Amino acid sequence: MALKAIPISQVVPQIDEIHVENVTFPSLYNNNSTPLSHGEDEDDVGKMNNKNNKFVVMGHRGSGTNMLQYSSCHEKTIKENTLRSFNEAAKFNLQFIEFDVQVTCDGHPVIFHDIFIFTQQEGKLIEKRVTDLTLEEFLSYGPQNGSTNVEKPLFRKMKDGRIFEWKVEEDDRLCTLQDVFENVSQSVGFNIEFKFDDKRNYRDEELVRVIRAALQVVFKYAKGRRIMFSSFQPDAAQLIKKEQTAYPVFFLTNGGSEIYPDIRRNSLDEAIELCLEGGLQGIVSEVKAILRNPRMIAKIKESNLSLMTYGQLNNEKEVVYLQYMMGVDGVIVDFVEKITSAVAQFSKQVHHDGKEHLLLLEKRLLSEQRITPCSEDEISYFRNLVPELIHS
């Protein structure tokens, strides 16, 4: 049974045009601490005109994550989630950068991925929760402006429990959400991920405090920049949508690669249901979940949702091509230069491992607009080229 052909222009908002035109935000909340009405119809705000059907590339944490397994990559490593990383990524042909926002205990949105931050003092590792720090404490970690002396060197804990000193080729200081708006090229949009601890249960008021702190900065400094929000935390994703109607909200999911107590996080079907229930605009899925079950692409589009993917496989240009063919709207990548260059040359003949020409891919891209997903036969053809990647 082939995937149902769906004209994307009829059902999907275009991600690369996310912004609100001619809207001013003098303040975010009124005296009753409720979201202000921005004069927009909720059914229309954040919608993206998809007439050009553009495939979107986003830089993961700017120019890519600093996970140690990437150290063998030919691309230089720049400290992730920093102004230097963001502006380096902006030099390439991408539409958005993605980054992680947490809020300090004194109410300041800062950019940092990990829930805990590590340093070393007098030979002893010190671990603290980012959200337990004040802004001043947070910014005291790592390099400081105008100084080569690092009093609190950063360390990082890996998933397997090992802890390493966080070394990169090009370092930079930690930054705030306001810093990013004021210092990153206006040419790129922001995918702002609200980061929460997977091991904690949050009350709604805790989530709202974080969301409102970030939204205050967004509405003050956005100035027409393309913006979208995302979160793995189901309640947070829905609350972001309730707290504002100016920008689209996407739900992040690994599609069942890991199982969580909250069943809403455990499948793409659950992700669709959550988005429809909360009025969200799209899903950002771990790419393996899509490749293992490509029929979900049509189901997501039929639900009038956009679809992005993330994951290490998105650093393989063949996997990115495959998603383009299947109708995925865009990818979040670490190897920004490599993937943006590849995407710009989709119409050229590609070799896979020097063995097989992707003639079918070239034929489709040269002769058709990308308005339908691949047939199941085509999906099978391409999946067979990278089975060890998809099933690893």
Side-chain angles (χ1 to χ4, degrees):
M1 179 180 177
L3 284 174
K4 182 179 178 181
I6 304 170
I8 294 177
S9 60
Q10 295 179 12
V11 299
V12 182
Q14 184 172 340
I15 297 170
D16 79 312
E17 294 182 1
I18 302 175
H19 61 285
V20 179
E21 296 284 4
N22 302 320
V23 179
T24 58
F25 306 100
S27 63
L28 185 57
Y29 298 101
N30 59 24
N31 292 333
N32 296 321
S33 297
T34 57
L36 288 174
S37 170
H38 303 307
E40 297 282 348
D41 181 347
E42 186 172 353
D43 292 333
D44 294 329
V45 289
K47 292 292 184 177
M48 299 160 275
N49 179 358
N50 204 30
K51 62 184 178 181
N52 294 323
N53 219 11
K54 189 168 185 177
F55 188 73
V56 175
V57 180
M58 297 189 182
H60 187 208
R61 306 179 201 173
S63 297
T65 181
N66 296 151
M67 301 303 288
L68 295 183
Q69 60 263 40
Y70 294 168
S71 61
S72 61
C73 176
H74 67 279
E75 298 192 12
K76 62 185 177 183
T77 56
I78 305 171
K79 177 66 68 62
E80 68 180 50
N81 276 333
T82 61
L83 298 178
R84 177 171 293 186
S85 183
F86 299 151
N87 281 314
E88 180 66 23
K91 295 176 181 178
F92 299 100
N93 186 29
L94 48 71
Q95 291 74 40
F96 282 78
I97 55 173
E98 179 271 351
F99 54 82
D100 308 278
V101 169
Q102 301 184 60
V103 174
T104 60
C105 66
D106 53 348
H108 295 274
V110 296
I111 313 302
F112 201 75
H113 174 270
D114 299 357
I115 298 300
F116 292 93
I117 191 167
F118 291 82
T119 191
Q120 190 177 67
Q121 295 177 348
E122 298 180 354
K124 181 179 180 181
L125 281 171
I126 306 296
E127 173 186 11
K128 292 189 177 181
R129 187 181 287 270
V130 171
T131 54
D132 287 342
L133 300 173
T134 65
L135 176 61
E136 183 179 2
E137 289 171 334
F138 173 77
L139 294 177
S140 70
Y141 287 79
Q144 303 295 299
N145 281 340
S147 175
T148 57
N149 183 32
V150 179
E151 294 185 5
K152 292 183 179 179
L154 283 170
F155 286 71
R156 192 167 208 182
K157 188 174 185 177
M158 310 302 288
K159 285 188 175 181
D160 61 10
R162 293 178 299 161
I163 299 177
F164 297 89
E165 186 171 0
W166 196 337
K167 292 184 176 181
V168 292
E169 294 175 84
E170 295 190 18
D171 213 342
D172 198 11
R173 65 180 180 87
L174 301 181
C175 61
T176 67
L177 182 58
Q178 180 178 334
D179 289 334
V180 177
F181 273 105
E182 293 182 323
N183 295 283
V184 173
S185 171
Q186 193 74 16
S187 67
V188 291
F190 291 167
N191 174 2
I192 301 174
E193 179 186 340
F194 284 84
K195 193 75 177 180
F196 296 97
D197 188 349
D198 290 338
K199 298 179 180 179
R200 280 191 59 188
N201 293 320
Y202 292 88
R203 301 187 306 275
D204 280 359
E205 52 265 33
E206 293 179 282
L207 298 173
V208 168
R209 181 188 74 85
V210 171
I211 293 166
R212 289 183 175 179
L215 289 180
Q216 287 174 348
V217 175
V218 171
F219 286 128
K220 184 175 181 180
Y221 295 99
K223 298 177 181 178
R225 189 188 297 269
R226 294 166 294 172
I227 292 169
M228 60 178 280
F229 299 118
S230 59
S231 184
F232 282 102
Q233 220 286 347
D235 294 323
Q238 293 187 329
L239 285 168
I240 297 165
K241 184 64 170 65
K242 289 180 181 178
E243 288 292 316
Q244 59 84 45
T245 57
Y247 302 108
V249 182
F250 282 57
F251 180 55
L252 276 156
T253 178
N254 62 31
S257 299
E258 298 178 49
I259 301 301
Y260 296 89
D262 189 332
I263 63 171
R264 296 174 296 177
R265 300 187 61 180
N266 292 339
S267 73
L268 289 169
D269 284 311
E270 290 286 350
I272 293 172
E273 184 175 339
L274 180 132
C275 288
L276 296 179
E277 177 186 276
L280 277 58
Q281 280 76 22
I283 293 170
V284 183
S285 172
E286 212 287 331
V287 60
K288 289 183 182 179
I290 295 298
L291 295 179
R292 288 170 176 160
N293 190 6
R295 294 177 182 85
M296 292 303 299
I297 298 173
K299 187 171 184 179
I300 290 168
K301 298 300 179 65
E302 288 171 340
S303 301
N304 196 27
L305 298 170
S306 295
L307 174 62
M308 300 284 298
T309 67
Y310 73 93
Q312 291 186 32
L313 286 184
N314 280 351
N315 297 314
E316 301 292 337
K317 60 185 180 181
E318 291 82 6
V319 176
V320 174
Y321 294 154
L322 173 57
Q323 293 176 79
Y324 177 95
M325 296 289 288
M326 293 193 297
V328 173
D329 296 299
V331 291
I332 300 174
V333 306
D334 294 297
F335 300 164
V336 172
E337 182 176 6
K338 170 185 173 183
I339 298 303
T340 54
S341 176
V343 169
Q345 300 181 48
F346 270 3
S347 62
K348 295 183 178 181
Q349 190 174 54
V350 180
H351 292 75
H352 179 76
D353 291 336
K355 298 177 183 178
E356 190 164 2
H357 293 180
L358 301 186
L359 297 177
L360 180 57
L361 172 60
E362 184 183 37
K363 178 181 178 181
R364 283 181 61 95
L365 290 175
L366 288 174
S367 63
E368 301 179 13
Q369 290 184 333
R370 190 180 62 93
I371 60 173
T372 65
C374 293
S375 71
E376 190 150 309
D377 287 342
E378 290 171 318
I379 290 171
S380 177
Y381 172 82
F382 289 112
R383 291 179 78 204
N384 286 337
L385 296 179
V386 286
E388 72 284 357
L389 296 177
I390 295 173
H391 297 290
S392 61

